[in-house]
Structure formats: C-alpha cells, structure tokens
Amino acid sequence: MQPRPEPKDLKILHTEAEIAERVASLAREIALALPDDLMMVALLRGSFVFASDLIRAMHKIGAKPQVDFMTLQSYHEGTQSSGKVIIHRDIVDDIAGRDVLILDDILESGRTLQFAKSELLKRNVKSVHVAVMLEKPGKRKVGVEADFVGFTIPDHFVVGYGLDYANYYRELPYIAAIEV
Ligand code: IMP
Ligand code: MG
C-alpha cells in the first residue's frame, strides 16, 4: 500500500459553502433541461460525492432521478492519464429509451467521458448528457464537452470532494490544488 503523499502545498480553490451553492444551481439547470424520467449514471470512484450531493439538491426542487453506477478504469502514471479506459463494473439497469445523464468529477482530456458517452449511446437510449463538477479548459485531447459544469478551474492537479491523489484526499469537503 502506498502511504498517503503529504502535500507540500494545498490551496483551497472552492470551499464547502461555494460547492453547496453551485450544486444547488446545477440541480436547477439539470431539472429544467431534463425534467422527466432521468437516469443518472455516476462514474466511480471520483463522482460519488458530487452525485450524492446533486441527487439531494434535485430532491429539494422536486426532481425524482434514478441513479446507477459505472466504474471505469483509466490508466494513470502519477498525475498523468495514459489514455486507455476500460469498464471495470457496468451499470445494472436497462437504460433503453431513457434520458441519461453521466456524472463525473472532472473533465480533463475528455477520454473518460468520450468513452462513457459512446458506451451508453450504444444502448438505445433517448439521449446522453454529461454533468461534471469541474473542468480544466485547454486540456481536451478528444472532442467531448460537458452540458453542465460546476466550476472551471485552472490547470492544477486538484483533490477533495471525491477527487483523489493515489486514492487519498477524497474525503476533503473542499476542492484544493495540491503539490506533493
Ligand atoms: P480525462 O479522461 O483526462 O478527462 O480525465 C478524467 C479523469 O481523470 C477524472 O475522472 C479523474 O479521475 C482524473 N483526473 C483528471 N484530472 C484530475 C485532477 O486534477 N485531480 C484528480 N483526478 C483527476
Ligand atoms: Mg475519475
């Protein structure tokens, strides 16, 4: 087991309160655009915090989404993604005919979301949209964009709110740029 890398520097980009406010308005945007029979597919592991806050924010405005989970594995070396993505654990439900909203923690190169989108589009769905908590502009390697974005952030490696470094730091209630 790799020990938790101790940060040389950890700079908070978005506080817990800012995140809560942004997630509430994202929920309103999503409920307005996709009002009926929404199936959310949360990509694990990074989006579980975002997904759990978002569905409760949607409940507060009367939306009734369903939720499923897909675990993708993208290969990383340190903080760099190598590009190869595979399905480690698929969703359980049949999503044929459904409006699907993929949830992820962050859109960077776009490879993860392009893969997820093309996989779900093979399943006779009505539509596939994408919501991400974070996006880094100028980093796209493939042509995929999110329909709903929490925050656009500068090009730093970030942790917290579900995002990890070596599977640590997911528990931080804020989003922080980290240097190790
Ligand atoms: P993409 O496939 O390059 O768009 O990257 C998406 C995935 O890489 C995300 O789901 C994250 O798991 C991971 N990732 C990208 N940037 C960061 C970061 O700054 N911190 C933590 N994980 C990241
Ligand atoms: Mg991830």
Side-chain angles (χ1 to χ4, degrees):
M1 193 186 73
Q2 190 179 341
R4 184 180 190 266
E6 286 310 315
K8 288 204 266 300
D9 194 28
L10 195 150
K11 191 168 136 260
I12 296 180
L13 300 181
H14 293 289
T15 63
E16 200 172 348
E18 284 167 356
I19 294 169
E21 198 176 309
R22 187 68 193 110
V23 169
S25 59
L26 269 182
R28 288 191 292 272
E29 286 175 42
I30 291 166
L32 207 62
L34 300 164
D36 300 312
D37 297 329
L38 184 60
M39 169 60 88
M40 293 182 162
V41 174
L43 303 186
L44 296 176
R45 288 174 268 183
S47 76
F48 75 106
V49 178
F50 174 43
S52 70
D53 281 352
L54 185 65
I55 57 169
R56 287 174 294 171
M58 292 191 75
H59 163 74
K60 287 185 185 160
I61 54 170
K64 298 176 176 63
Q66 289 188 302
V67 187
D68 206 336
F69 299 93
M70 183 181 248
T71 307
L72 297 181
Q73 215 163 317
S74 46
Y75 289 90
H76 289 273
E77 282 167 21
T79 59
Q80 296 298 311
S81 154
S82 74
K84 187 173 150 54
V85 184
I86 58 157
I87 297 179
H88 185 74
R89 177 196 171 279
D90 208 339
I91 55 171
V92 172
D93 283 2
D94 179 5
I95 55 170
R98 305 292 302 271
D99 284 314
V100 175
L101 180 67
I102 301 172
L103 304 179
D104 205 3
D105 51 359
I106 186 166
L107 171 59
E108 191 175 19
S109 76
R111 289 193 188 103
T112 306
L113 280 166
Q114 189 190 52
F115 176 85
K117 230 179 143 169
S118 71
E119 276 299 316
L120 297 179
L121 280 167
K122 290 176 192 165
R123 304 180 189 190
N124 298 316
V125 292
K126 188 165 152 202
S127 70
V128 177
H129 290 81
V130 172
V132 292
M133 189 59 211
L134 303 173
E135 71 144 353
K136 291 182 194 169
K139 296 286 284 182
R140 232 64 86 233
K141 297 273 198 292
V142 295
V144 64
E145 290 304 328
D147 303 282
F148 307 94
V149 176
F151 298 112
T152 298
I153 58 165
D155 184 16
H156 292 301
F157 193 80
V158 294
V159 294
Y161 202 65
L163 290 123
D164 73 301
Y165 181 71
N167 201 21
Y168 289 103
Y169 298 105
R170 295 189 197 274
E171 74 282 8
L172 302 181
Y174 45 80
I175 294 162
I178 189 174
E179 265 176 53
V180 289

